[in-house]
Amino acid sequence: MPNWAFDYILLPLGIYLARMTDVSIGTVRIILISRERKILAAMLGFVEVLLWLIVITQIMRNLSNVLCYIAYAGGFATGTFLGMVVEEKLALGHSLIRIIVPEKGEEIVQNLSQAGYRTTTLEAQGARGPVKVILSLLRRKDIPIVLGILKNTAPGAFYTIENARKTSDPELWKDSGQEGESFARILWRRQSRIRK
């Protein structure tokens, strides 16, 4: 292989791919830290820094190669985007959905309960009169399902969704079946010990 092919094709491509990977890992790691997944975040941090060191070493050895700089910057931008896409697909953690409706509140609660979601209802006063505020804590991956139920029941309903960092109820992590229940309880006990 000629030197120019390595210097101007393979090396920049390798830098681009490595930087894209390490920034993707970094984005997911930061999100895991906010979700208090300490061990997994630490392992990803190790891989992230190792890749970064490899990349920066190659750039320092090839300071006159402008394509290395472009590959580094391009890998960073792509990695940031890719990390957000990966995290979105993983849908880690729980979210709190807050639904505010002047009518059809009972129907929304009934449909959510039938689908297996817990709800809490509050009576409140809005700018245009009395409203129902419906709160539900759910897994992030279930958000599209709940929004589908909401759209079918009350298409004009106002809602907000926010991340829930912690929950005091291990039952929320239960899957269907006895195996899922025991795993949820083990995980809950382990996280409780770590937090203390």
Side-chain angles (χ1 to χ4, degrees):
M1 176 188 297
N3 284 344
W4 66 265
F6 178 80
D7 290 342
Y8 298 108
I9 297 173
L10 284 182
L11 182 62
L13 183 63
I15 288 171
Y16 173 81
L17 292 174
R19 189 63 178 144
M20 179 184 71
T21 305
D22 99 74
V23 173
S24 299
I25 290 170
T27 305
V28 173
R29 179 184 57 81
I30 289 167
I31 292 161
L32 287 171
I33 288 170
S34 72
R35 303 272 190 272
E36 297 187 355
R37 305 277 180 96
K38 298 174 184 79
I39 295 170
L40 187 55
M43 289 190 299
L44 288 178
F46 175 83
V47 175
E48 176 192 357
V49 169
L50 185 62
L51 283 172
W52 181 83
L53 284 171
I54 291 167
V55 168
I56 210 69
T57 301
Q58 291 306 313
I59 288 177
M60 290 301 169
R61 286 183 184 162
N62 298 278
L63 288 173
S64 60
N65 189 344
V66 176
L67 286 178
C68 289
Y69 300 122
I70 294 168
Y72 185 88
F76 185 89
T78 308
T80 302
F81 177 79
L82 191 60
M84 293 170 70
V85 169
V86 166
E87 194 279 331
E88 196 175 280
K89 296 292 182 193
L90 290 174
L92 300 169
H94 289 83
S95 290
L96 175 70
I97 185 165
R98 181 182 296 109
I99 305 163
I100 302 171
V101 285
E103 53 191 31
K104 294 195 174 180
E106 295 301 326
E107 194 177 339
I108 293 169
V109 169
Q110 183 179 356
N111 290 343
L112 289 175
S113 296
Q114 284 175 354
Y117 300 103
R118 298 178 181 183
T119 60
T120 301
T121 307
L122 308 168
E123 301 292 335
Q125 188 67 31
R128 298 182 189 142
V131 292
K132 276 199 186 299
V133 179
I134 303 161
L135 305 170
S136 185
L137 186 65
L138 51 127
R139 293 178 299 190
R140 279 188 58 214
K141 63 183 176 183
D142 291 340
I143 289 173
I145 299 167
V146 170
L147 293 181
I149 292 168
L150 187 59
K151 186 177 178 183
N152 290 337
T153 311
F158 176 80
Y159 65 87
T160 61
I161 300 171
E162 55 196 67
N163 289 328
R165 285 185 58 200
K166 291 183 184 180
T167 173
S168 62
D169 187 356
E171 297 297 314
L172 289 171
W173 297 354
K174 249 198 327 192
D175 290 331
S176 57
Q178 201 61 30
E179 220 174 289
E181 183 176 356
S182 60
F183 177 72
R185 290 190 182 284
I186 290 167
L187 187 59
W188 173 256
R189 285 196 298 271
R190 186 160 184 237
Q191 284 199 348
S192 296
R193 282 199 305 269
I194 290 169
R195 286 183 189 135
K196 289 175 187 174

